Coordinates of all heavy atoms in Angstrom, one line a residue:
M1 N 78.6 95.8 123.5 CA 79.7 95.9 124.4 C 79.6 96.8 125.6 O 79.9 96.6 126.7 CB 81.0 96.5 123.6 CG 82.2 96.6 124.4 SD 82.7 95.1 125.3 CE 84.3 94.9 124.9
T2 N 78.7 98.0 125.4 CA 78.4 98.9 126.4 C 77.7 98.2 127.5 O 77.7 98.5 128.7 CB 77.6 100.1 125.8 OG1 78.3 100.7 124.7 CG2 77.3 101.1 126.8
K3 N 76.6 97.2 127.2 CA 75.9 96.5 128.1 C 76.7 95.7 129.0 O 76.5 95.6 130.2 CB 74.8 95.7 127.4 CG 73.7 96.5 126.9 CD 72.6 95.6 126.2 CE 71.6 96.4 125.6 NZ 70.4 95.6 125.1
K4 N 77.7 95.1 128.5 CA 78.7 94.3 129.2 C 79.5 95.2 130.2 O 79.8 94.8 131.4 CB 79.7 93.4 128.3 CG 80.7 92.6 129.0 CD 81.5 91.7 128.1 CE 82.3 90.8 129.1 NZ 83.3 90.0 128.4
I5 N 79.8 96.4 129.7 CA 80.6 97.3 130.5 C 79.7 97.8 131.7 O 80.2 97.7 133.0 CB 81.1 98.5 129.8 CG1 82.1 98.0 128.7 CG2 81.8 99.6 130.7 CD1 82.5 99.0 127.6
I6 N 78.4 98.0 131.4 CA 77.6 98.5 132.5 C 77.3 97.5 133.4 O 77.3 97.7 134.6 CB 76.3 99.0 131.8 CG1 76.5 100.4 131.1 CG2 75.1 99.2 132.9 CD1 75.5 100.8 130.1
A7 N 77.2 96.2 133.0 CA 76.9 95.1 134.0 C 78.2 94.9 134.8 O 78.1 94.7 136.0 CB 76.7 93.8 133.1
S8 N 79.4 95.0 134.1 CA 80.6 95.0 135.0 C 80.7 96.1 136.1 O 81.0 95.8 137.3 CB 81.9 95.0 134.2 OG 81.9 93.9 133.2
I9 N 80.4 97.3 135.7 CA 80.3 98.3 136.7 C 79.4 98.1 137.8 O 79.7 98.2 139.0 CB 79.9 99.6 136.0 CG1 81.1 100.2 135.0 CG2 79.6 100.8 137.0 CD1 82.2 100.8 135.6
E10 N 78.1 97.6 137.4 CA 77.0 97.4 138.4 C 77.6 96.2 139.4 O 77.4 96.3 140.6 CB 75.7 96.9 137.8 CG 75.0 98.1 137.0 CD 73.9 97.7 136.3 OE1 73.6 96.4 136.1 OE2 73.0 98.6 136.1
K11 N 78.2 95.2 138.8 CA 78.6 94.1 139.8 C 79.8 94.6 140.7 O 79.7 94.2 141.9 CB 79.0 92.9 138.9 CG 79.4 91.7 139.7 CD 79.5 90.5 138.9 CE 79.7 89.3 139.8 NZ 79.9 88.0 139.0
A12 N 80.8 95.4 140.1 CA 81.9 95.6 140.8 C 81.7 96.8 141.9 O 82.2 96.8 143.1 CB 83.0 96.1 139.9
T13 N 80.7 97.8 141.5 CA 80.6 98.9 142.4 C 79.2 98.8 143.2 O 79.1 99.5 144.1 CB 80.5 100.2 141.6 OG1 79.5 100.2 140.7 CG2 81.8 100.4 140.9
G14 N 78.3 98.0 142.8 CA 77.0 97.9 143.4 C 76.2 99.0 143.0 O 75.2 99.3 143.6
V15 N 76.6 99.8 141.9 CA 75.8 101.0 141.5 C 75.1 100.6 140.3 O 75.7 100.2 139.2 CB 76.7 102.3 141.3 CG1 75.9 103.5 140.8 CG2 77.3 102.6 142.7
S16 N 73.7 100.8 140.1 CA 73.0 100.6 138.9 C 73.1 101.8 137.8 O 73.5 102.8 138.2 CB 71.6 100.4 139.3 OG 71.0 101.5 139.6
L17 N 72.7 101.3 136.7 CA 72.8 102.4 135.6 C 71.7 103.6 136.0 O 72.2 104.7 135.6 CB 72.4 101.8 134.2 CG 72.4 102.8 133.1 CD1 73.7 103.5 132.9 CD2 71.9 102.1 131.8
E18 N 70.7 103.1 136.5 CA 69.7 104.3 137.0 C 70.4 105.2 137.9 O 70.3 106.4 138.0 CB 68.5 103.8 137.6 CG 67.6 103.0 136.5 CD 68.1 101.6 136.2 OE1 68.7 100.9 137.1 OE2 67.8 101.0 135.2
E19 N 71.1 104.7 139.0 CA 71.9 105.5 139.9 C 73.0 106.3 139.2 O 73.2 107.4 139.6 CB 72.4 104.7 140.9 CG 71.5 104.0 141.9 CD 71.7 102.9 142.9 OE1 72.6 102.1 142.4 OE2 71.4 102.8 143.9
I20 N 73.7 105.7 138.3 CA 74.8 106.4 137.5 C 74.2 107.6 136.8 O 74.8 108.6 136.8 CB 75.5 105.4 136.6 CG1 76.3 104.5 137.2 CG2 76.2 106.3 135.5 CD1 77.0 103.3 136.5
R21 N 72.9 107.4 136.2 CA 72.3 108.5 135.5 C 71.6 109.4 136.3 O 71.2 110.6 135.8 CB 71.3 107.9 134.5 CG 72.2 107.0 133.4 CD 71.0 106.4 132.4 NE 70.1 107.4 131.7 CZ 70.3 108.3 130.9 NH1 71.5 108.3 130.4 NH2 69.4 109.1 130.4
S22 N 71.5 109.3 137.6 CA 70.8 110.1 138.5 C 71.5 111.4 138.9 O 72.8 111.4 138.7 CB 70.4 109.4 139.9 OG 71.7 109.4 140.7
P23 N 71.0 112.4 139.4 CA 71.7 113.7 139.7 C 72.5 113.5 141.0 O 73.1 114.4 141.5 CB 70.5 114.6 139.8 CG 69.3 113.9 140.2 CD 69.6 112.6 139.5
D24 N 72.4 112.4 141.7 CA 73.1 112.1 143.0 C 74.6 112.3 142.7 O 75.2 111.7 141.9 CB 72.7 110.8 143.5 CG 72.9 110.6 144.9 OD1 74.1 111.0 145.3 OD2 72.1 109.9 145.6
R25 N 75.2 113.0 143.7 CA 76.6 113.3 143.6 C 77.4 112.6 144.7 O 78.6 113.0 144.9 CB 76.8 114.9 143.7 CG 76.4 115.6 142.5 CD 76.4 117.0 142.4 NE 77.2 117.6 143.3 CZ 77.3 118.9 143.4 NH1 76.7 119.7 142.7 NH2 78.2 119.5 144.3
R26 N 76.9 111.6 145.4 CA 77.6 110.8 146.3 C 78.7 110.1 145.7 O 78.6 109.8 144.5 CB 76.6 109.9 147.0 CG 75.8 110.5 148.1 CD 74.9 109.5 148.7 NE 73.9 109.1 147.9 CZ 72.9 108.1 148.1 NH1 73.0 107.4 149.3 NH2 72.0 107.9 147.2
I27 N 79.8 110.1 146.4 CA 81.0 109.6 145.8 C 81.0 108.3 145.1 O 81.6 108.0 144.1 CB 82.2 109.7 146.8 CG1 83.6 109.7 146.2 CG2 82.2 108.6 147.9 CD1 83.8 110.9 145.4
K28 N 80.3 107.3 145.7 CA 80.2 105.9 145.1 C 79.5 106.1 143.7 O 79.9 105.3 142.8 CB 79.5 105.0 145.9 CG 77.9 105.0 146.0 CD 77.3 104.1 146.9 CE 75.9 104.1 146.9 NZ 75.4 103.0 147.7
F29 N 78.6 106.9 143.5 CA 78.0 107.1 142.1 C 78.9 107.9 141.2 O 79.1 107.5 140.0 CB 76.8 108.0 142.2 CG 75.6 107.3 143.2 CD1 74.9 108.0 144.0 CD2 75.3 105.9 142.9 CE1 74.0 107.4 144.7 CE2 74.5 105.4 143.8 CZ 73.8 106.1 144.6
V30 N 79.7 108.8 141.7 CA 80.7 109.6 140.9 C 81.8 108.6 140.5 O 82.2 108.6 139.2 CB 81.3 110.8 141.7 CG1 82.4 111.4 140.8 CG2 80.2 111.7 141.9
Y31 N 82.3 107.8 141.3 CA 83.3 106.8 141.0 C 82.9 105.9 139.9 O 83.5 105.6 138.9 CB 83.8 106.0 142.1 CG 84.6 106.7 143.2 CD1 85.0 106.2 144.5 CD2 85.2 108.0 142.8 CE1 85.7 106.9 145.3 CE2 85.9 108.6 143.8 CZ 86.2 108.1 145.0 OH 86.9 108.7 145.9
A32 N 81.7 105.4 140.0 CA 81.0 104.6 139.1 C 81.1 105.2 137.7 O 81.2 104.6 136.6 CB 79.6 103.9 139.4
R33 N 80.5 106.4 137.7 CA 80.4 107.2 136.5 C 81.8 107.4 135.8 O 82.0 107.3 134.6 CB 79.8 108.6 136.6 CG 78.3 108.7 136.9 CD 77.9 110.1 137.2 NE 76.7 110.0 137.9 CZ 76.4 110.4 139.1 NH1 77.3 111.2 139.7 NH2 75.2 110.4 139.7
M34 N 82.8 107.8 136.7 CA 84.1 108.0 136.1 C 84.6 106.7 135.4 O 85.1 106.7 134.3 CB 85.0 108.4 137.2 CG 84.9 109.8 137.7 SD 85.8 110.3 139.1 CE 87.5 110.3 138.3
I35 N 84.5 105.6 136.1 CA 85.0 104.3 135.6 C 84.3 103.9 134.3 O 84.9 103.6 133.4 CB 85.0 103.2 136.8 CG1 86.0 103.6 137.9 CG2 85.4 101.9 136.0 CD1 85.7 102.7 139.1
L36 N 83.1 104.0 134.3 CA 82.1 103.7 133.2 C 82.6 104.7 132.0 O 82.9 104.1 130.8 CB 80.7 103.9 133.5 CG 79.8 103.7 132.1 CD1 79.9 102.2 131.7 CD2 78.4 104.0 132.7
S37 N 82.8 105.9 132.3 CA 83.1 106.9 131.2 C 84.5 106.4 130.6 O 84.7 106.4 129.4 CB 83.3 108.2 131.7 OG 82.0 108.7 132.3
K38 N 85.5 106.1 131.4 CA 86.9 105.8 131.0 C 86.9 104.5 130.2 O 87.5 104.6 129.1 CB 87.8 105.7 132.3 CG 89.2 105.4 131.9 CD 89.9 106.5 131.3 CE 91.3 106.3 131.2 NZ 92.0 107.4 130.5
I39 N 86.2 103.6 130.6 CA 86.2 102.3 129.9 C 85.5 102.4 128.5 O 86.0 101.9 127.5 CB 85.6 101.2 130.6 CG1 86.5 100.9 131.9 CG2 85.5 99.9 129.9 CD1 86.1 100.0 132.9
I40 N 84.4 103.1 128.5 CA 83.8 103.3 127.3 C 84.6 104.2 126.3 O 84.5 104.0 125.1 CB 82.3 104.1 127.4 CG1 81.4 102.9 128.2 CG2 81.6 104.5 126.3 CD1 80.0 103.5 128.6
R41 N 85.2 105.2 126.8 CA 86.1 106.1 126.0 C 87.2 105.3 125.3 O 87.7 105.3 124.3 CB 86.7 107.2 126.8 CG 87.5 108.1 126.1 CD 86.8 109.0 125.0 NE 87.6 110.0 124.4 CZ 87.3 110.7 123.5 NH1 86.1 110.7 122.9 NH2 88.0 111.6 122.9
E42 N 87.8 104.3 126.2 CA 88.9 103.3 125.6 C 88.3 102.6 124.5 O 89.1 102.2 123.7 CB 89.3 102.5 126.7 CG 90.1 103.2 127.8 CD 90.6 102.6 129.1 OE1 90.0 101.4 129.2 OE2 91.2 103.0 130.0
K43 N 87.0 102.2 124.3 CA 86.4 101.6 123.3 C 86.1 102.5 122.1 O 85.7 102.0 121.1 CB 85.1 100.9 123.8 CG 85.4 99.9 125.0 CD 86.3 98.8 124.6 CE 86.5 97.9 125.9 NZ 87.6 97.0 125.8
G44 N 86.4 103.8 122.2 CA 86.3 104.6 121.1 C 85.1 105.5 121.0 O 84.8 106.1 120.0
C45 N 84.3 105.5 122.2 CA 83.0 106.4 122.1 C 83.4 107.9 122.2 O 84.4 108.2 123.0 CB 82.1 106.1 123.1 SG 81.2 104.5 122.8
S46 N 82.7 108.8 121.7 CA 82.8 110.2 121.9 C 82.4 110.7 123.1 O 81.6 110.1 123.9 CB 82.0 110.9 120.7 OG 80.7 111.0 121.0
L47 N 82.9 111.8 123.6 CA 82.6 112.5 124.9 C 81.0 112.8 125.0 O 80.4 112.5 125.9 CB 83.3 113.7 125.1 CG 84.8 113.8 125.1 CD1 85.4 115.1 125.2 CD2 85.2 112.8 126.2
E48 N 80.4 113.1 123.7 CA 79.0 113.5 123.8 C 78.2 112.1 123.9 O 77.3 112.1 124.7 CB 78.7 114.1 122.4 CG 79.3 115.5 122.3 CD 80.6 115.6 121.8 OE1 81.2 114.5 121.4 OE2 81.2 116.6 121.9
H49 N 78.7 111.1 123.3 CA 78.0 109.9 123.6 C 78.0 109.3 124.9 O 77.0 108.9 125.6 CB 78.5 108.7 122.6 CG 77.8 107.5 122.6 ND1 76.5 107.2 122.0 CD2 78.2 106.3 123.1 CE1 76.2 106.0 122.4 NE2 77.2 105.4 123.0
I50 N 79.3 109.4 125.5 CA 79.4 109.0 127.0 C 78.6 110.0 127.9 O 78.0 109.4 128.6 CB 80.9 109.2 127.3 CG1 81.8 108.1 126.5 CG2 81.0 108.9 128.8 CD1 83.2 108.3 126.6
G51 N 78.4 111.2 127.5 CA 77.6 112.0 128.3 C 76.2 111.7 128.2 O 75.5 111.7 129.2
R52 N 75.7 111.3 127.1 CA 74.3 110.8 127.0 C 74.0 109.6 127.8 O 73.0 109.4 128.3 CB 74.0 110.5 125.6 CG 73.7 111.9 124.8 CD 73.1 111.7 123.4 NE 73.9 110.8 122.5 CZ 74.8 111.3 121.7 NH1 75.0 112.7 121.7 NH2 75.5 110.5 120.9
I53 N 75.0 108.7 127.9 CA 74.9 107.4 128.5 C 74.8 107.6 130.1 O 73.9 107.1 130.8 CB 76.0 106.5 128.3 CG1 76.0 105.9 126.8 CG2 76.0 105.1 129.3 CD1 77.3 105.2 126.3
I54 N 75.7 108.6 130.6 CA 75.6 108.8 132.0 C 74.7 110.0 132.4 O 74.7 110.5 133.6 CB 77.0 108.9 132.6 CG1 77.7 110.1 132.0 CG2 77.9 107.7 132.2 CD1 79.1 110.4 132.6
N55 N 74.0 110.6 131.4 CA 73.2 111.7 131.7 C 73.9 113.0 132.2 O 73.6 113.6 133.1 CB 72.1 111.3 132.6 CG 70.9 112.3 132.6 OD1 70.6 112.9 131.6 ND2 70.3 112.4 133.8
R56 N 75.1 113.2 131.6 CA 75.9 114.4 131.9 C 76.4 115.2 130.8 O 76.5 114.5 129.6 CB 77.2 113.9 132.8 CG 76.9 113.4 134.2 CD 76.4 114.3 135.1 NE 76.2 113.8 136.4 CZ 75.1 113.1 136.7 NH1 74.2 112.8 136.0 NH2 75.0 112.7 138.0
D57 N 76.9 116.4 130.9 CA 77.4 117.0 129.7 C 78.7 116.5 129.4 O 79.4 116.0 130.3 CB 77.4 118.6 130.2 CG 77.8 119.4 129.1 OD1 77.0 119.9 128.3 OD2 79.0 119.8 128.9
H58 N 79.1 116.8 128.2 CA 80.5 116.3 127.8 C 81.7 116.9 128.5 O 82.6 116.3 128.8 CB 80.7 116.4 126.2 CG 81.0 117.8 125.9 ND1 80.1 118.9 125.8 CD2 82.2 118.4 125.5 CE1 80.7 120.0 125.4 NE2 81.9 119.7 125.3
S59 N 81.3 118.1 129.0 CA 82.4 118.8 129.7 C 82.8 118.2 131.1 O 83.8 118.0 131.6 CB 82.2 120.3 130.0 OG 80.9 120.3 130.7
T60 N 81.6 117.5 131.7 CA 81.8 116.7 132.9 C 82.6 115.5 132.6 O 83.5 115.2 133.4 CB 80.4 116.3 133.5 OG1 79.7 117.5 133.8 CG2 80.6 115.5 134.8
V61 N 82.4 114.9 131.4 CA 83.1 113.6 131.0 C 84.6 114.0 130.9 O 85.5 113.3 131.5 CB 82.5 113.0 129.9 CG1 83.3 111.8 129.2 CG2 81.1 112.6 130.0
C62 N 84.9 115.2 130.3 CA 86.2 115.7 130.2 C 86.9 115.8 131.5 O 88.2 115.6 131.7 CB 86.2 117.1 129.4 SG 87.0 117.1 127.9
H63 N 86.1 116.5 132.5 CA 86.7 116.6 133.8 C 87.0 115.2 134.5 O 88.1 115.1 135.0 CB 85.7 117.4 134.6 CG 86.1 117.5 136.2 ND1 87.2 118.4 136.4 CD2 85.6 116.9 137.2 CE1 87.3 118.2 137.8 NE2 86.4 117.4 138.3
Y64 N 86.2 114.3 134.3 CA 86.4 113.0 134.8 C 87.8 112.4 134.2 O 88.6 111.9 135.0 CB 85.4 112.0 134.4 CG 84.0 112.1 135.0 CD1 83.0 111.5 134.7 CD2 84.0 112.9 136.3 CE1 81.7 111.7 135.3 CE2 82.7 113.0 136.9 CZ 81.7 112.4 136.4 OH 80.4 112.6 137.0
F65 N 88.0 112.7 133.1 CA 89.4 112.2 132.4 C 90.5 112.9 133.1 O 91.7 112.4 133.1 CB 89.2 112.2 130.9 CG 88.2 111.4 130.3 CD1 87.7 111.7 129.1 CD2 87.9 110.2 130.9 CE1 86.8 110.9 128.6 CE2 86.8 109.4 130.4 CZ 86.2 109.8 129.0
K66 N 90.3 114.3 133.2 CA 91.4 115.0 133.7 C 92.0 114.6 135.1 O 93.1 114.5 135.5 CB 91.1 116.4 133.8 CG 91.1 117.1 132.4 CD 90.7 118.6 132.5 CE 90.7 119.3 131.2 NZ 90.1 120.7 131.2
I67 N 90.9 114.0 136.0 CA 91.3 113.7 137.4 C 91.5 112.3 137.5 O 91.8 111.7 138.6 CB 90.2 114.2 138.3 CG1 88.8 113.7 138.1 CG2 90.2 115.8 138.3 CD1 87.8 114.0 139.2
Y68 N 91.1 111.5 136.5 CA 91.1 110.1 136.6 C 92.5 109.4 137.0 O 92.6 108.6 138.0 CB 90.9 109.4 135.2 CG 90.4 108.0 135.3 CD1 89.0 107.7 135.5 CD2 91.2 107.0 135.3 CE1 88.5 106.4 135.6 CE2 90.8 105.5 135.3 CZ 89.4 105.3 135.4 OH 89.0 104.1 135.5
G69 N 93.6 110.0 136.4 CA 94.9 109.4 136.8 C 95.3 109.6 138.2 O 95.9 108.8 138.9
D70 N 95.0 111.0 138.7 CA 95.3 111.3 140.1 C 94.4 110.3 141.0 O 94.9 109.8 142.1 CB 95.0 112.7 140.4 CG 96.1 113.7 139.8 OD1 97.2 113.1 139.6 OD2 95.8 114.9 139.6
E71 N 93.2 110.1 140.7 CA 92.3 109.2 141.6 C 92.9 107.9 141.6 O 93.0 107.3 142.6 CB 91.0 109.4 141.1 CG 90.2 110.5 141.3 CD 89.9 110.9 142.7 OE1 89.8 109.9 143.6 OE2 89.9 112.1 143.1
L72 N 93.3 107.3 140.5 CA 93.8 106.1 140.4 C 95.2 105.8 141.2 O 95.3 104.8 141.9 CB 94.0 105.7 139.0 CG 94.0 104.2 138.4 CD1 92.7 103.7 138.8 CD2 94.2 104.2 136.9
T73 N 96.0 106.7 141.2 CA 97.2 106.8 141.8 C 97.0 107.1 143.4 O 97.8 106.3 144.1 CB 98.2 108.0 141.2 OG1 98.3 107.8 139.9 CG2 99.6 108.0 141.9
H74 N 96.3 108.0 143.8 CA 96.2 108.3 145.2 C 95.0 108.0 145.9 O 95.0 108.2 147.2 CB 96.4 109.9 145.3 CG 97.6 110.5 144.5 ND1 98.8 110.3 145.1 CD2 97.6 111.2 143.4 CE1 99.7 110.8 144.2 NE2 99.0 111.5 143.3
N75 N 94.1 107.2 145.3 CA 92.9 106.9 146.0 C 92.6 105.4 145.9 O 92.2 104.8 144.9 CB 91.7 107.6 145.4 CG 90.3 107.3 146.0 OD1 90.0 106.3 146.6 ND2 89.5 108.3 145.9
C76 N 93.0 104.7 147.1 CA 92.9 103.2 147.0 C 91.5 102.7 146.7 O 91.4 101.7 146.0 CB 93.3 102.7 148.4 SG 95.0 103.0 148.9
E77 N 90.4 103.3 147.3 CA 89.1 102.9 147.1 C 88.7 103.0 145.6 O 88.2 101.9 144.9 CB 88.1 103.7 147.8 CG 86.7 103.3 147.6 CD 85.6 104.2 148.2 OE1 86.1 105.2 148.9 OE2 84.4 104.0 148.1
F78 N 89.1 104.0 144.9 CA 88.9 104.1 143.4 C 89.7 103.2 142.6 O 89.2 102.5 141.8 CB 89.2 105.6 143.1 CG 88.9 105.9 141.6 CD1 87.7 106.1 141.2 CD2 89.9 105.9 140.6 CE1 87.3 106.4 139.8 CE2 89.6 106.2 139.3 CZ 88.4 106.4 138.9
W79 N 91.0 103.0 143.1 CA 91.8 102.0 142.4 C 91.2 100.6 142.5 O 91.0 99.9 141.4 CB 93.3 101.9 143.0 CG 94.1 101.0 142.3 CD1 94.8 101.1 141.2 CD2 94.3 99.6 142.7 NE1 95.5 100.0 140.8 CE2 95.3 99.0 141.8 CE3 94.0 98.8 143.7 CZ2 95.8 97.8 141.9 CZ3 94.4 97.6 144.0 CH2 95.2 97.0 143.1
E80 N 90.7 100.2 143.6 CA 90.1 99.0 143.8 C 88.7 98.7 143.0 O 88.7 97.7 142.3 CB 89.7 98.6 145.2 CG 91.0 98.4 146.2 CD 90.6 98.3 147.6 OE1 89.4 98.2 147.9 OE2 91.5 98.3 148.4
L81 N 88.0 99.8 142.9 CA 86.8 99.7 142.0 C 87.2 99.6 140.6 O 86.6 98.8 139.9 CB 85.8 101.0 142.2 CG 85.3 101.0 143.7 CD1 84.5 102.3 143.8 CD2 84.2 99.9 143.8
D82 N 88.1 100.3 140.1 CA 88.5 100.2 138.7 C 89.1 98.9 138.4 O 88.8 98.3 137.5 CB 89.7 101.3 138.5 CG 90.3 101.3 137.0 OD1 89.5 101.8 136.2 OD2 91.2 100.8 136.8
T83 N 89.9 98.4 139.3 CA 90.4 97.0 139.2 C 89.4 96.0 139.1 O 89.5 95.1 138.2 CB 91.6 96.8 140.2 OG1 92.6 97.7 140.1 CG2 92.3 95.3 140.1
M84 N 88.5 96.0 140.1 CA 87.3 95.0 140.1 C 86.6 95.1 138.8 O 86.2 94.0 138.3 CB 86.6 95.2 141.4 CG 87.2 94.7 142.7 SD 86.1 94.8 144.0 CE 85.5 96.4 144.1
T85 N 86.3 96.3 138.3 CA 85.5 96.5 137.2 C 86.2 95.8 136.0 O 85.6 95.1 135.1 CB 85.3 97.9 136.9 OG1 84.5 98.4 138.0 CG2 84.4 98.1 135.7
R86 N 87.4 96.1 135.8 CA 88.2 95.5 134.7 C 88.4 94.0 134.7 O 88.4 93.4 133.7 CB 89.5 96.3 134.6 CG 89.3 97.8 134.1 CD 90.7 98.4 134.0 NE 90.4 99.9 134.0 CZ 90.4 100.6 132.7 NH1 90.3 99.7 131.6 NH2 90.0 101.9 132.6
K87 N 88.5 93.4 136.0 CA 88.5 92.0 136.1 C 87.2 91.4 135.7 O 87.1 90.3 135.0 CB 88.9 91.6 137.6 CG 90.4 91.7 138.0 CD 90.6 91.4 139.3 CE 92.0 91.6 139.7 NZ 92.3 91.3 141.1
E88 N 86.1 92.0 136.0 CA 84.8 91.6 135.6 C 84.5 91.5 134.1 O 84.1 90.7 133.5 CB 83.6 92.4 136.3 CG 83.3 92.3 137.7 CD 82.7 91.0 137.9 OE1 82.1 90.4 137.0 OE2 83.0 90.2 138.9
L89 N 85.2 92.6 133.5 CA 85.1 92.6 131.9 C 85.7 91.6 131.3 O 85.3 91.1 130.2 CB 85.7 94.0 131.6 CG 84.8 95.2 131.5 CD1 85.4 96.5 131.1 CD2 83.5 94.8 130.4
K90 N 87.0 91.1 132.1 CA 87.7 90.1 131.3 C 87.0 88.7 131.4 O 87.3 87.7 130.7 CB 89.1 89.9 131.9 CG 89.9 91.1 131.6 CD 91.3 91.0 132.1 CE 92.0 92.3 131.8 NZ 93.4 92.3 132.4
Q91 N 86.1 88.6 132.4 CA 85.4 87.2 132.5 C 84.3 86.9 131.4 O 83.7 87.8 130.8 CB 84.8 87.2 133.9 CG 85.8 87.2 135.0 CD 85.2 87.1 136.4 OE1 83.9 87.0 136.5 NE2 86.0 87.0 137.4

């Protein structure tokens, strides 16, 4: 299931897993990490496991979850990426 989620993220955002795991903090990579983290968490993965997948500490993953709702509500670009990713997952 994780591979399908990652493929959906890559298609919707144009960001590869290697870029997600990179230290790069450009916003397109951060958004991809956040969406990937959220969807994987919804499937029941632990914060530590998600951190290993995206090459970040579990506290970073926790931070993503704290700001996720605000980004979704107030950031059109983020909302569109999230929506496109979830549509890809349903196909």
Side-chain angles (χ1 to χ4, degrees):
M1 181 54 129
T2 304
K3 288 183 181 185
K4 183 176 180 179
I5 296 168
I6 291 168
S8 297
I9 292 282
E10 288 177 342
K11 189 169 182 181
T13 66
V15 177
S16 70
L17 181 59
E18 292 77 26
E19 291 168 321
I20 288 171
R21 293 180 51 80
S22 77
D24 198 318
R25 292 174 19 182
R26 283 181 283 176
I27 200 69
K28 71 178 188 172
F29 300 136
V30 174
Y31 288 169
R33 283 182 204 118
M34 288 175 66
I35 295 167
L36 177 60
S37 298
K38 180 69 169 178
I39 293 172
I40 292 175
R41 181 65 172 181
E42 290 169 355
K43 303 297 180 193
C45 288
S46 69
L47 298 177
E48 292 80 11
H49 182 73
I50 296 167
R52 283 192 298 271
I53 291 171
I54 65 170
N55 198 31
R56 296 291 184 279
D57 189 80
H58 78 279
S59 62
T60 300
V61 177
C62 236
H63 175 70
Y64 289 162
F65 297 151
K66 286 181 183 176
I67 65 171
Y68 200 90
D70 284 341
E71 289 294 330
L72 210 53
T73 303
H74 303 293
N75 184 328
C76 293
E77 180 185 359
F78 185 77
W79 181 85
E80 287 174 12
L81 291 172
D82 182 78
T83 302
M84 288 190 305
T85 301
R86 291 175 188 276
K87 282 182 184 176
E88 281 295 323
L89 271 174
K90 289 181 182 179
Q91 293 180 357

